[in-house]
Amino acid sequence: MTLFLHYLGLTYLLTGIGFTIAVTALGLAGGLIVGLVLASMQLSKVGPLAAIARGYTVIFRGTPLILQLVFAYDALPHIGLKLSAMAAAGLALAANEGPFIAEILRAAVLGVDRGQLLAGQALGMAPTVLLRRVIAPQAIRTTIPALGNESVSALKNSSLASVIAVDELTLRSTQLASSTFDFFSIFFASGLMYLVLTGAIAAIQLFAETALDLDRSPSRRFTRLLPWRRAGIAVNLPGAGVTLPADAPLEPRPSPMPMPNVHEAHADRVRRYATLQKQNATVQVKGLSKRYGEQTVLDGFDLTVRFGEVIALLGPSGSGKSTLLRCINPLEQWDAGEIRIAGKRLGFRVDGRPMTQGDIANERASAGVGMVFQHFNLFSHLTACENIAGPLRWVHGMAPADAERRARELLERVGLSHCADALPRHLSGGQQQRVAIARALAPNPRVLLLDEPTSALDPELIGEVLDVIQRLVDKGGLTMIISTHQLRFADQVADRVVFMSGGAVVEQGPAHEVLTHPSHPLTARFLGVMGADARLEVAS
């Protein structure tokens, strides 16, 4: 025991710890750089780059580290690159760790819900903004345990640097044991030193995991120091002196009103329908075609939506409703045809050339098209308030105070002011969808697209979302295109029903007329399949 304690404090062995830490730090730092490059290459859409990265990964994951160390130290001098033992060890360890770290990073990026990426694109986020604000915050939290494990592995692998005479802890322990023949005490002390080092890594990992825990109080989160975090703003104090833009009026949430009787409102709806047909076109879709491989989803689709008009898209699954909405956003590239929002053609520059990804992101931000997805697609690492305020700041350049104030007023409008600081996973489906609606409304879009807004909800939650949409319709002035299977709701809120099948318009006309007296056999069959009770309820 005395010798064991002696070796624990022996300067000769303690100096070796410094070399071990240095080699490990070089390997991890270099491996992180190599891993970022390899992961980026594999995630890119450039085939040759991905192939090169995969080839590198196969080679360096498939050969022993000890061979890579010998190659870096003994073979590289033959081509004029002579490295010190420490530099060779750091290079070999970095080259070896790179593929493993790349796979960790790539898995974390691929693990981010694609729906959130689509939501970010729909909100007008450029690829760099999407990476920084949506992908990186979630990927980093996911990688912490795996990177901690890889750091421990790298620390232990650094012992192999002894084969090229790096004076690290294992080599010094071996040299000392060879001279004293006290193998047990020396290597026991050496093992305890390694255990302390790996324990320190585990402690750092635990600290990082705790600090990045989203369920901790926002005031205590270490993440507030990270670049994607929003600045804390006290917007709930009276007299803050912050006002909304002049074009963003918000009134208090009205009391829920009973749904009007269809027959009583029939005359008013006829007059409104006639008036809307005289308005200027807000959305114009001409000859739109879209194919996925051999499957035609949209086949020469035509549609004109007037200012302030509410359109309900009906049709069986696969008829092209969601694809149409994604093209209007635009989240999809179409094969033929054109889409215009307020007279401006989407997807092409003024000179007629296709847009770059950056141009498309700017177009989404300026086109004035908001979108609500059927699966909510809220950013899981942001609170309800941050989900709304963040895109206003990152995309539209709104001041943090204005963005925060607008987000909270919109949450008040949809009845969720008490959930402003809740994460999406702490909200019900209906509450998440109401936050998604508020987020889509935040930049004052001229067109609001809703893709099956209630299809992912339990029956008891559907009403609260439909109530919010009903109040938006009652307010007026917002052009809306809603894909839905809720027939009664479509009759109550829509000015016009467009029935789709096979990627084309089969029948369209005033909502109540189409829903109660369809003229096309396909429409009648679809309404029949939806249920005779639903038809009777619509007609009542």
Side-chain angles (χ1 to χ4, degrees):
M1 178 59 70
T2 303
L3 285 175
F4 169 70
L5 295 176
H6 169 72
Y7 292 133
L8 277 180
L10 192 64
T11 303
Y12 185 76
L13 291 182
L14 293 177
T15 304
I17 293 178
F19 287 102
T20 296
I21 294 174
V23 171
T24 304
L26 285 173
L28 287 176
L32 185 59
I33 295 173
V34 173
L36 283 169
V37 173
L38 292 176
S40 300
M41 292 171 67
Q42 292 191 63
L43 290 169
S44 72
K45 297 180 180 179
V46 182
L49 287 180
I52 292 172
R54 292 187 183 280
Y56 178 98
T57 299
V58 169
I59 292 172
F60 280 86
R61 284 197 311 185
T63 54
L65 174 59
I66 192 169
L67 293 183
Q68 297 166 19
L69 286 164
V70 172
F71 179 85
Y73 188 65
D74 293 329
L76 290 182
H78 292 290
I79 60 173
L81 185 60
K82 182 170 179 59
L83 301 175
S84 66
M86 177 68 73
L91 176 64
L93 191 58
N96 182 268
E97 288 294 326
F100 294 96
I101 294 177
E103 293 302 287
I104 293 172
L105 298 177
R106 191 167 69 92
V109 171
L110 294 176
V112 177
D113 180 39
R114 177 165 172 76
Q116 295 183 43
L117 305 185
L118 290 174
Q121 292 172 348
L123 290 164
M125 293 186 189
T128 53
V129 175
L130 198 60
L131 175 63
R132 183 186 178 202
R133 302 294 186 176
V134 178
I135 298 174
Q138 299 183 62
I140 286 176
R141 290 202 328 275
T142 304
T143 61
I144 294 299
L147 287 178
N149 184 67
E150 197 61 33
S151 298
V152 171
S153 177
L155 178 67
K156 293 190 295 184
N157 285 339
S158 67
S159 63
L160 294 176
S162 60
V163 302
I164 57 173
V166 174
D167 215 11
E168 47 74 59
L169 180 58
T170 299
L171 180 60
R172 292 206 165 202
S173 299
T174 303
Q175 292 172 340
L176 186 61
S178 298
S179 61
T180 63
F181 298 100
D182 189 2
F183 290 92
F184 177 79
S185 298
I186 293 174
F187 282 106
F188 189 26
S190 175
L192 185 58
M193 291 177 183
Y194 273 111
L195 187 60
V196 170
L197 293 177
T198 56
I201 293 175
I204 294 172
Q205 175 187 332
L206 180 61
F207 170 78
E209 290 179 11
T210 304
L212 294 173
D213 184 0
L214 295 177
D215 290 315
R216 291 172 64 85
S217 171
S219 62
R220 298 176 59 193
R221 288 188 208 156
F222 174 74
T223 49
R224 294 178 66 86
L225 303 177
L226 299 177
W228 55 77
R229 290 294 300 169
R230 86 289 188 208
I233 301 171
V235 299
N236 55 345
L237 299 177
V242 179
T243 58
L244 288 173
D247 61 345
L250 286 172
E251 70 283 347
R253 182 188 181 193
S255 301
M257 299 294 292
M259 294 292 186
N261 183 277
V262 175
H263 293 300
E264 292 176 2
H266 182 66
D268 290 339
R269 296 182 67 175
V270 171
R271 286 192 294 269
R272 172 179 165 82
Y273 185 84
T275 302
L276 287 172
Q277 301 314 302
K278 300 175 184 178
Q279 297 290 329
N280 293 328
T282 299
V283 180
Q284 294 172 291
V285 181
K286 296 182 179 179
L288 194 68
S289 296
K290 172 67 179 177
R291 296 174 63 89
Y292 292 109
E294 298 298 321
Q295 181 183 6
T296 299
V297 182
L298 294 173
D299 189 10
F301 188 90
D302 294 314
L303 178 68
T304 298
V305 184
R306 305 289 176 179
F307 173 78
E309 190 174 18
V310 179
I311 300 291
L313 298 178
L314 299 181
S317 298
S319 59
K321 303 186 299 297
S322 295
T323 301
L324 172 64
L325 296 181
R326 287 157 62 98
C327 287
I328 294 175
N329 197 288
L331 290 172
E332 292 280 359
Q333 291 294 318
W334 50 93
D335 301 319
E338 67 176 38
I339 300 174
R340 294 182 181 272
I341 303 293
K344 183 179 183 301
R345 187 182 181 189
L346 300 184
F348 294 88
R349 299 177 179 176
V350 177
D351 58 10
R353 291 186 299 172
M355 290 183 169
T356 64
Q357 289 297 318
D359 292 334
I360 291 175
N362 292 332
E363 182 180 63
R364 292 193 190 105
S366 62
V369 179
M371 187 161 185
V372 178
F373 298 86
Q374 59 182 324
H375 294 293
F376 328 134
N377 293 352
L378 297 180
F379 304 129
S380 62
H381 62 296
L382 300 179
T383 65
C385 186
E386 292 166 345
N387 261 278
I388 302 170
L392 290 177
R393 294 172 48 216
W394 309 327
V395 177
H396 301 279
M398 186 178 288
D402 291 346
E404 188 98 355
R405 175 67 63 85
R406 180 154 178 78
R408 292 185 181 273
E409 292 197 14
L410 279 166
L411 287 172
E412 172 70 23
R413 182 170 169 179
V414 299
L416 291 176
S417 58
H418 61 291
C419 298
D421 297 320
L423 292 168
R425 64 173 174 270
H426 298 150
L427 302 175
S428 69
Q431 290 173 327
Q432 290 187 58
Q433 192 63 293
R434 282 188 278 164
V435 173
I437 292 173
R439 182 176 65 180
L441 291 173
N444 293 307
R446 57 172 61 93
V447 180
L448 182 63
L449 310 176
L450 298 102
D451 185 12
E452 296 283 2
T454 61
S455 66
L457 299 177
D458 294 331
E460 63 269 18
L461 300 177
I462 291 176
E464 63 186 63
V465 174
L466 296 184
D467 174 63
V468 171
I469 300 173
Q470 177 72 58
R471 286 189 280 112
L472 291 175
V473 173
D474 292 342
K475 179 185 175 184
L478 179 62
T479 304
M480 301 172 68
I481 306 177
I482 309 171
S483 169
T484 183
H485 285 101
Q486 300 286 331
L487 299 184
R488 186 183 182 197
F489 173 70
D491 181 63
Q492 289 168 338
V493 304
D495 300 300
R496 178 160 44 118
V497 160
V498 175
F499 181 75
M500 298 176 60
S501 182
V505 176
V506 173
E507 180 177 356
Q508 62 176 311
H512 189 67
E513 179 179 329
V514 172
L515 290 171
T516 55
H517 300 94
S519 61
H520 197 283
L522 287 178
T523 309
R525 186 181 308 139
F526 173 79
L527 295 177
V529 170
M530 292 298 292
D533 292 340
R535 290 284 307 280
L536 291 173
E537 190 176 21
V538 169
S540 62

